[in-house]
Amino acid sequence: MHVDRTTPRRPAARRWLGGALALAVGSGLALVGGTGTALAADVNNARNAGFENGLANWSCSAGSGTAVASPVHTGAGALKATPAGLDNAKCVQTVAVKPNSTYTLSAWVQGGYAYLGASNTGTGSGSVSTWTPDSPSWKQLTTTFTTGASTTSVEIYTHGWYGTAAYFVDDVSVFGPDGGGGQDPDPVVPATPAGLAAGTPTTSAVPLSWNAVSGATGYKVYRDGVPAATVTGTSTTVTGLAADTAYSFQVSATNTAGESAKSAAVSARTAKTTTPGPGPSVPKHAVTGYWQNFDNGAAKQKIRDVQAAYDIIAVSFADSTVTPGQIVFNLDPAVGYTSVADFKADIAAKKAAGKSVIISVGGEKGNVTINSDASATAFANSAYALFQEYGFNGVDIDLEHGINSTYLTKALRQLSALAGPSMVLTMAPQTIDMQSTGTEYFKTALAVKDILTVVNTQYYNSGSMLGCDGKVYSQGSVDFLTALACIQIQGGLDPSQVGLGVPASTRGAGSGYVAPSVVNSALDCLTKLTGCGSFKPAQAWPTLRGAMTWSTNWDATAGNAWSNAVGPHVHGLP
């Protein structure tokens, strides 16, 4: 819905308007706009309306929400909420209101399906809402509600739709009479950050950290006096640097009131370049597992702890930067490593044991945009820098949306030229991405078929999909796995480039979990025409690559039930 009328949302504008209205009313004037009369007490009753203070005052279902620094409509923050198969990523705030009053509820949204509403209004059905389908740019949603005779609070909410793309929200407004719940205070320019320090540099990046500044909603990092990054936290890694080169860094603090002075400078020199050795060859039938570089309640693992059944270990995830296409990797202290050197040593040991360790690009933080020649080159160069720095011998493409097959293909070919013929290249599309050869994901897979190792489609968080026989199959069954894998082979991928991606446990995904025995039956059906359900392929594909799971950590949480059952079965295929 496009609405021409706008209402104040930022603190400074809100207070100026309130003062102007008070003056007008005191002079005996009435200010009328739109369909009603604005009173002097009209304010934005929403707290943390621009998400400048993270998720303060907001609560999101199933941990689906997070505050992000980009994209934002205004200010330094916005809400990103990611629906799952059984969760619509609903984020709510209880707002104080006055009885028998009318309010205008609005917000700016972007991304996937987005809904905006208010409940418990005390009149009529007690709720109002509006929505919009996917929007590539910021769009304002607006609706109104009237409170009942005894209503002193309402619940405002946003949500997306099950299993669809993440949506973004910024500048929420509940504009009307002051409900007495308080408003966001006017900010003041923050103080200059102290404690700027450089961590251990890599060949192309320098990690930086500093002390938090009260009242700051973001920080600007400068490299040799030139802006290099804008972040909301108190650390970042400046990337895209030349090897064996000295740099000077400073940081300032920002909020909607302005920017502080720059901190004292700190110098750091990047490391010298090394050349990674070739990785081991991938077995004919391989098991892929994602290793989590974060703590979400699954068992914490070091790379050395990853179960022996996994032939390809996808380190999840690389992080995107402010430079389009560029990626970096930041080892999360939560996984237990005391040094980056130990992490690198574990990778080297796994490779020596015949395992491939690759970097996965995607997930929440690594959804890079590759839509130009410059961003394709930035991706290839930065990915190869990670190969050199950490010893990764391949890359996994796990992008959730926004793929441009033309430029992603260019990026992968440039990376392959840098890394050499032993580079492992895997992909993990969603089921919807592999329903037709016309989708960008499928087009990319076919375009890089000569350098592609395996496509492990995620057969979960999906809902029902079409099989290669034109029939609809529900996730969580042998037929779902086999009939959808058949599409990829009939569409032009070699059977050796097809794998079955499933959760390691019921906690590994919102929906679509199948027992390891079901995975093994699907593998047998596709390779030997045994163990099939109602769908049976027209022929067997004995060279099918294998299976993948999210994640090695969730597998460990469940007592390694998945790898203990599926691993030997994959390795025993014909």
Side-chain angles (χ1 to χ4, degrees):
M1 176 187 298
H2 176 74
V3 179
D4 291 326
R5 179 186 176 191
T6 60
T7 55
R9 278 164 294 280
R10 285 292 174 200
R14 178 174 63 236
R15 278 162 170 66
W16 179 89
L17 179 63
L21 288 171
L23 176 61
V25 172
S27 303
L29 301 176
L31 300 182
V32 181
T35 59
T37 301
L39 302 178
D42 281 0
V43 297
N44 180 6
N45 290 273
R47 299 298 306 275
N48 192 22
F51 300 94
E52 313 298 346
N53 295 314
L55 295 185
N57 303 103
W58 294 89
S59 176
C60 296
S61 60
S64 56
T66 185
V68 295
S70 179
V72 298
H73 179 246
T74 61
L79 167 70
K80 177 183 180 181
T82 307
L86 297 177
D87 179 66
N88 64 359
K90 185 176 183 179
C91 297
V92 302
Q93 179 181 150
T94 299
V95 176
V97 294
K98 279 190 173 182
N100 293 323
S101 300
T102 299
Y103 292 85
T104 298
L105 171 64
S106 65
W108 290 84
V109 299
Q110 179 179 322
Y113 281 72
Y115 292 73
L116 173 70
S119 56
N120 304 321
T121 64
T123 59
S125 65
S127 64
V128 298
S129 65
T130 183
W131 70 285
T132 182
D134 302 72
S135 176
S137 58
W138 288 105
K139 175 190 295 185
Q140 190 181 38
L141 293 178
T142 302
T143 187
T144 61
F145 64 88
T146 301
T147 56
S150 60
T151 303
T152 57
S153 67
V154 298
E155 183 179 84
I156 61 171
Y157 62 84
T158 66
H159 68 75
W161 197 247
Y162 305 93
T164 59
Y167 69 93
F168 298 85
V169 181
D170 201 359
D171 296 336
V172 180
S173 177
V174 184
F175 193 70
D178 188 348
Q183 297 118 48
D184 295 337
D186 288 329
V188 295
V189 176
T192 302
L196 178 62
T200 303
T202 68
T203 55
S204 61
V206 173
L208 300 170
S209 62
W210 54 90
N211 299 336
V213 175
S214 177
T217 57
Y219 300 89
K220 289 185 178 180
V221 177
Y222 293 84
R223 183 194 71 199
D224 295 334
V226 177
T230 299
V231 298
T232 57
T234 57
S235 64
T236 191
T237 299
V238 179
T239 61
L241 307 178
D244 195 21
T245 302
Y247 293 92
S248 176
F249 301 96
Q250 293 172 285
V251 63
S252 66
T254 63
N255 60 20
T256 54
E259 179 182 0
S260 74
K262 298 183 183 69
S263 69
V266 64
S267 297
R269 177 177 287 274
T270 51
K272 295 181 179 181
T273 300
T274 58
T275 302
S281 60
V282 176
K284 176 182 177 182
H285 298 297
V287 180
T288 302
Y290 285 83
W291 175 83
Q292 298 178 188
N293 180 44
F294 50 87
D295 179 10
N296 67 345
K300 296 178 185 178
Q301 288 183 319
K302 295 181 179 178
I303 293 293
R304 72 190 74 155
D305 301 324
V306 172
Q307 301 87 329
Y310 293 102
D311 305 293
I312 302 174
I313 303 168
V315 172
S316 311
F317 293 98
D319 296 328
S320 57
T321 75
V322 294
T323 301
Q326 187 181 68
I327 60 172
V328 295
F329 178 74
N330 298 301
L331 183 63
D332 191 336
V335 302
Y337 280 101
T338 57
S339 72
V340 174
D342 286 344
F343 176 70
K344 295 177 183 178
D346 278 1
I347 292 176
K350 279 292 186 182
K351 289 170 63 178
K355 312 298 183 180
S356 294
V357 184
I358 64 178
I359 182 67
S360 181
V361 179
E364 179 183 346
K365 295 183 179 180
N367 196 22
V368 298
T369 299
I370 305 172
N371 57 8
S372 66
D373 286 328
S375 57
T377 299
F379 175 84
N381 289 341
S382 59
Y384 185 60
L386 296 184
F387 288 14
Q388 293 176 300
E389 179 65 28
Y390 294 95
F392 299 127
N393 61 296
V395 66
D396 170 67
I397 303 301
D398 188 16
L399 299 174
E400 297 175 357
H401 56 81
I403 284 181
N404 182 309
S405 61
T406 298
Y407 292 105
L408 181 55
T409 296
K410 288 185 176 182
L412 293 174
R413 290 207 172 277
Q414 289 182 48
L415 179 57
S416 176
L418 292 169
S422 66
M423 184 184 82
V424 175
L425 172 57
T426 69
M427 296 183 178
Q430 301 173 92
T431 53
I432 191 68
D433 296 319
M434 301 301 286
Q435 284 276 282
S436 163
T437 55
T439 64
E440 293 299 293
Y441 234 123
F442 211 143
K443 286 162 62 176
T444 302
L446 293 174
V448 297
K449 182 178 176 180
D450 57 312
I451 59 172
L452 178 64
T453 306
V454 62
V455 175
N456 291 304
T457 301
Q458 302 175 49
Y459 293 115
Y460 48 94
N461 294 339
S462 167
S464 299
M465 288 287 164
L466 289 171
C468 64
D469 56 356
K471 296 180 180 179
V472 176
Y473 294 96
S474 299
Q475 64 178 355
S477 65
V478 169
D479 289 333
F480 189 77
L481 300 177
T482 55
L484 269 68
C486 168
I487 294 176
Q488 297 171 48
I489 298 172
Q490 290 187 351
L493 292 181
D494 190 86
S496 66
Q497 295 174 319
V498 176
L500 308 181
V502 296
S505 71
T506 55
R507 299 176 63 188
S511 63
Y513 171 76
V514 293
S517 60
V518 175
V519 181
N520 290 344
S521 293
L523 291 168
D524 288 343
C525 178
L526 292 167
T527 59
K528 298 182 288 188
L529 299 182
T530 62
C532 301
S534 61
F535 171 79
K536 189 172 185 179
Q539 67 178 93
W541 295 296
T543 60
L544 190 86
R545 180 66 74 172
M548 170 275 281
T549 196
W550 177 269
S551 61
T552 64
N553 306 74
W554 284 119
D555 184 23
T557 305
N560 303 323
W562 194 89
S563 57
N564 285 344
V566 178
H569 199 84
V570 167
H571 297 143
L573 290 173

